[in-house]
Amino acid sequence: MDLPVNAFDLSPEQQETASLLQRLLGSAIANRYVDFCRLAAGAFALNVSRPIAAHALRELDSMLRGALEVPMEARAPETGEDTERIAEARKQLRALGFEDHAVDRAVRELKPRLNHKEQIRQIASRLGLAPDGDVANLWTSLTENFGGAHQRSFHRSLKVDDDFRERYQRPFDTVIRALAVALQGRYVALMRRVEELAAMTDRKQAARLFAAEIPGALPLQRHFFDRLQTADWLPHLAKQGLFAEPLAGPDEGASGGMRFRQWPAGNYLLRMAKSPDAATRQGVADALRNVGSSKHPDVQYDGLEILAALPPAEAAPLADLAVSWLSPGTRNWPMQTPETLVKQLAQAGQRDAALKIARALLQIWEQNGRLMTHYANHMYEYHLPSLVGPLAACCGEDALRFFADLLHEAARITGRVDSGHHSMRPMGDDGMAQHDVYESLISAVRRSAEALIEEDATRMRGVLQLLAGYEPKIFVRLYLHVLASNPAAAPDIATAYLTDPSVIEASWSRDEYSKLALAWFPSLTTADQAKVLGVIDALPGKYLNAWKARFEEYRKKPPGADDERRFRAATFRDVVWKWRMALPAERQGALDQTVQELGDPDAWKEQLFPQEESPLRSTDFSSRPISEIVEFLRIWTPQADNSRQTVTALAQELRTAAFNNPEAYAAGAAQFAALKPVYVRQVLEGLRAHPGSLDS
């Protein structure tokens, strides 16, 4: 049993024909062919489909003949008398005040013409088909019978039926298929016509003829625009609408994919954007404004490239175009071009435009509970750092506010508003900045704030006030970190935070508090220092009962006086450990005794992440001859009973030795050739890193 045919689908042969027309003659003709096929198949529920299908067929026939009449030399020859008569008519019409487009339309009607039959025969002949063969005869017959296809009778069915398909649709399918196949072998004629137009000195006439004669096929359009190297084409191409966005092909949009490099005019505009002539660049800017509302990905991407090629002062007024082209959604093209544009604008002092485009480029949004950006996975955090410096230098606190807003939004989307401040890494550590959008924005806020204060310390209070305006506690950590970089710029604020019991007790901000204490605790008055130490001394008492309960639960007995003493000493040690160098001398002495008894509070890290060791020390490398070192490297293998000694650590010591003694290691480099690659690489890196050794 045959499967029912989907009326909206073209047959395989029709699909192939549509694809051929798309490649050879462009979307305007291919789309009309697809529409005609669907109308003829009854795909649309129209009460009056026959006249519409007939009109589509007539229009498609006219467009085909119009596209082929010049390259296939299917025009009536123009005599000298005709030329004089047309020139005189043009002159008289202009004298009467008619506009150019009206004059051109009238002149076209005065030119000698071939009748349809003769024109079809000449096109068929130039395409290698018999002028009196089946294809030419079918085509001629169709054009002669178009009146019957239209059918205005009020007493007969006006719907497309089997009779219409038999008389018009199937024959025309045969004709257009044969023409498309034959045109592939004669395509050079269209290319040659494109070259003739591109070589014309009358740019106005050439642009008009190109718009009228040359189909919108991508190869023809690209062939033309690639040959235009001068700016005198600009106004005429613009007037003919040749900078418009590409028409969608018959299969575009349905799949959701993006087809790139469909806008050849963009290449020409890009070349003109680099012109030293201001008037030329203004023409480019006008052309961009005219396509500013386009949603076509090629127009958007090429448009951003063109903006980046313009001088920043001329690109800045067009910032809204870039913003519209960077609307939320997944992009399949790289973001380096808009990044370059932002940097150029920032470096040129175009702060409003730079920040406006940066907001569009770096925006984040929520989609199905996930944080989304314009970038591919992990590319946002990879590229963000390169934009922080230029924006901070140009836009000042506005840039800081922009990054802070992004961080706050990222915290909301990812659910880290209440938990994102719990991190073991200090704010000054960028180790996680390239692994996560949220972490990269923490780094961006910190770096932009540091840049502002480094440039002008008087900005400290403004920067702190800005950071204090955000609710998530991650901003408290950033606040403390920034304040610690120069507490003398806001001494009252530094003192207030150092003596605030809630800040002293907060374990989640201990790294930043410690940094501030190292920088400012020695500058506190004796009374304020005592206040800080008093809060710390009182901490064990606040948690004593809870500690006793845990102790008894774990040890199955209550703690003794010595246990309680050690708990109090350990609590003080843990709170002040990272800023112990700023403590008064007597407190440092007491802390040293605690460490001797209880150990280093960071010792657990060594247990979890033991430091790798090399079986050869630096003194071994400096005292032994190269041959002995090479022999040791050749035979040594890590021992199971000493897991700390590793090949990695040994190779790193080798690199250091090569750096410290490049002459000896360069002279004996050949001896390392047979060793493991890790050793060879480290020797070479050590030599290369030394100034003037290998590179010279």
Side-chain angles (χ1 to χ4, degrees), residues 450-665:
E450 289 173 341
L452 294 178
I453 295 166
E454 184 177 349
E455 180 187 358
D456 182 1
T458 62
R459 284 175 160 174
M460 174 66 81
R461 293 181 184 275
V463 168
L464 295 177
Q465 183 179 5
L466 190 155
L467 294 175
Y470 293 87
E471 176 187 358
K473 290 182 178 179
I474 190 65
F475 286 96
V476 176
R477 295 187 65 183
L478 287 163
Y479 186 110
L480 291 172
H481 174 86
V482 172
L483 178 59
S485 66
N486 188 359
D492 53 328
I493 298 177
T495 299
Y497 268 86
L498 273 186
T499 57
D500 185 340
S502 65
V503 180
I504 297 172
E505 295 178 25
S507 59
W508 47 267
S509 61
R510 188 152 293 163
D511 284 310
E512 290 68 45
Y513 181 89
S514 298
K515 182 181 177 185
L516 178 60
L518 277 172
W520 195 243
F521 186 85
S523 300
L524 294 178
T525 64
T526 303
D528 283 335
Q529 288 185 351
K531 183 177 179 181
V532 171
L533 296 173
V535 171
I536 299 173
D537 289 336
L539 284 177
K542 292 184 64 173
Y543 303 108
L544 185 61
N545 290 335
W547 170 80
K548 285 181 177 180
R550 291 195 303 273
F551 185 97
E552 189 167 352
E553 179 183 4
Y554 182 73
R555 299 286 183 90
K556 308 303 181 186
K557 65 176 183 177
D562 202 43
D563 294 322
E564 183 175 330
R565 178 188 61 78
R566 284 196 293 270
F567 166 71
R568 292 180 180 277
T571 301
F572 182 86
R573 177 202 63 181
D574 293 346
V575 172
V576 304
W577 181 253
K578 292 182 178 180
W579 57 277
R580 60 190 182 278
M581 299 305 296
L583 289 171
E586 68 277 7
R587 288 285 187 152
Q588 288 192 37
L591 181 62
D592 289 341
Q593 292 180 6
T594 299
V595 172
Q596 289 178 8
E597 179 184 4
L598 303 180
D600 185 328
D602 293 331
W604 64 271
K605 295 180 182 178
E606 181 64 21
Q607 295 174 0
L608 290 177
F609 309 104
Q611 188 72 28
E612 294 183 357
E613 295 179 357
S614 168
L616 290 182
R617 307 283 183 188
S618 58
T619 53
D620 297 322
F621 281 101
S622 61
S623 60
R624 298 186 183 187
I626 296 295
S627 58
E628 187 176 329
I629 293 172
V630 169
E631 181 62 17
F632 181 87
L633 296 173
R634 187 182 66 80
I635 63 174
W636 183 82
T637 56
Q639 301 300 310
D641 59 347
N642 191 350
S643 59
R644 287 195 173 195
Q645 292 188 351
T646 65
V647 170
T648 302
L650 177 58
Q652 186 59 43
E653 285 288 351
L654 177 63
R655 183 187 188 280
T656 303
F659 177 84
N660 292 334
N661 191 5
E663 293 82 4
Y665 279 83

Side-chain angles (χ1 to χ4, degrees), residues 281-597:
R281 299 194 302 270
Q282 182 59 50
V284 172
D286 293 340
L288 284 184
R289 288 191 181 94
N290 288 335
V291 295
S293 61
S294 174
K295 302 301 181 185
H296 195 286
D298 287 343
V299 174
Q300 294 178 341
Y301 181 73
D302 291 349
L304 289 167
E305 279 197 322
I306 294 165
L307 284 179
L310 291 171
E314 296 174 19
L318 304 173
D320 286 337
L321 293 180
V323 171
S324 69
W325 294 333
L326 291 167
S327 57
T330 303
R331 299 290 174 186
N332 288 337
W333 31 266
M335 290 294 155
Q336 285 88 337
T337 295
E339 287 170 12
T340 299
L341 178 59
V342 170
K343 293 174 188 175
Q344 289 175 174
L345 290 168
Q347 290 162 358
Q350 299 289 340
R351 54 181 294 143
D352 292 340
L355 202 54
K356 184 181 291 187
I357 298 174
R359 286 194 179 99
L361 172 64
L362 297 174
Q363 64 185 300
I364 60 177
W365 63 92
E366 186 174 1
Q367 182 174 311
N368 298 326
R370 295 180 57 205
L371 186 152
M372 304 298 294
T373 75
H374 284 305
Y375 290 79
N377 194 32
H378 293 309
M379 289 296 101
Y380 186 98
E381 49 266 42
Y382 179 79
H383 289 280
L384 175 61
S386 67
L387 293 168
V388 173
L391 285 172
C394 173
C395 305
E397 290 186 14
D398 288 337
L400 174 59
R401 185 176 293 104
F402 164 54
F403 291 124
D405 287 342
L406 284 174
L407 175 58
H408 187 265
E409 182 67 3
R412 183 193 67 78
I413 294 173
T414 59
R416 303 190 198 181
V417 169
D418 298 322
S419 62
H421 57 286
H422 290 294
S423 170
M424 293 179 62
R425 71 173 183 87
M427 287 295 95
D429 180 4
D430 283 338
M432 292 294 293
Q434 290 191 1
H435 295 83
D436 176 76
V437 172
Y438 176 79
E439 295 287 346
S440 71
L441 288 169
I442 292 175
S443 175
V445 173
R446 173 185 59 78
R447 290 176 57 214
S448 55
E450 289 173 341
L452 294 178
I453 295 166
E454 184 177 349
E455 180 187 358
D456 182 1
T458 62
R459 284 175 160 174
M460 174 66 81
R461 293 181 184 275
V463 168
L464 295 177
Q465 183 179 5
L466 190 155
L467 294 175
Y470 293 87
E471 176 187 358
K473 290 182 178 179
I474 190 65
F475 286 96
V476 176
R477 295 187 65 183
L478 287 163
Y479 186 110
L480 291 172
H481 174 86
V482 172
L483 178 59
S485 66
N486 188 359
D492 53 328
I493 298 177
T495 299
Y497 268 86
L498 273 186
T499 57
D500 185 340
S502 65
V503 180
I504 297 172
E505 295 178 25
S507 59
W508 47 267
S509 61
R510 188 152 293 163
D511 284 310
E512 290 68 45
Y513 181 89
S514 298
K515 182 181 177 185
L516 178 60
L518 277 172
W520 195 243
F521 186 85
S523 300
L524 294 178
T525 64
T526 303
D528 283 335
Q529 288 185 351
K531 183 177 179 181
V532 171
L533 296 173
V535 171
I536 299 173
D537 289 336
L539 284 177
K542 292 184 64 173
Y543 303 108
L544 185 61
N545 290 335
W547 170 80
K548 285 181 177 180
R550 291 195 303 273
F551 185 97
E552 189 167 352
E553 179 183 4
Y554 182 73
R555 299 286 183 90
K556 308 303 181 186
K557 65 176 183 177
D562 202 43
D563 294 322
E564 183 175 330
R565 178 188 61 78
R566 284 196 293 270
F567 166 71
R568 292 180 180 277
T571 301
F572 182 86
R573 177 202 63 181
D574 293 346
V575 172
V576 304
W577 181 253
K578 292 182 178 180
W579 57 277
R580 60 190 182 278
M581 299 305 296
L583 289 171
E586 68 277 7
R587 288 285 187 152
Q588 288 192 37
L591 181 62
D592 289 341
Q593 292 180 6
T594 299
V595 172
Q596 289 178 8
E597 179 184 4

Side-chain angles (χ1 to χ4, degrees), residues 173-195:
D173 249 348
T174 300
V175 169
I176 202 165
R177 172 71 178 172
L179 291 176
V181 172
L183 184 57
Q184 289 185 96
R186 299 292 191 276
Y187 208 59
V188 67
L190 279 168
M191 289 291 191
R192 189 180 299 118
R193 180 56 178 164
V194 167
E195 292 171 357

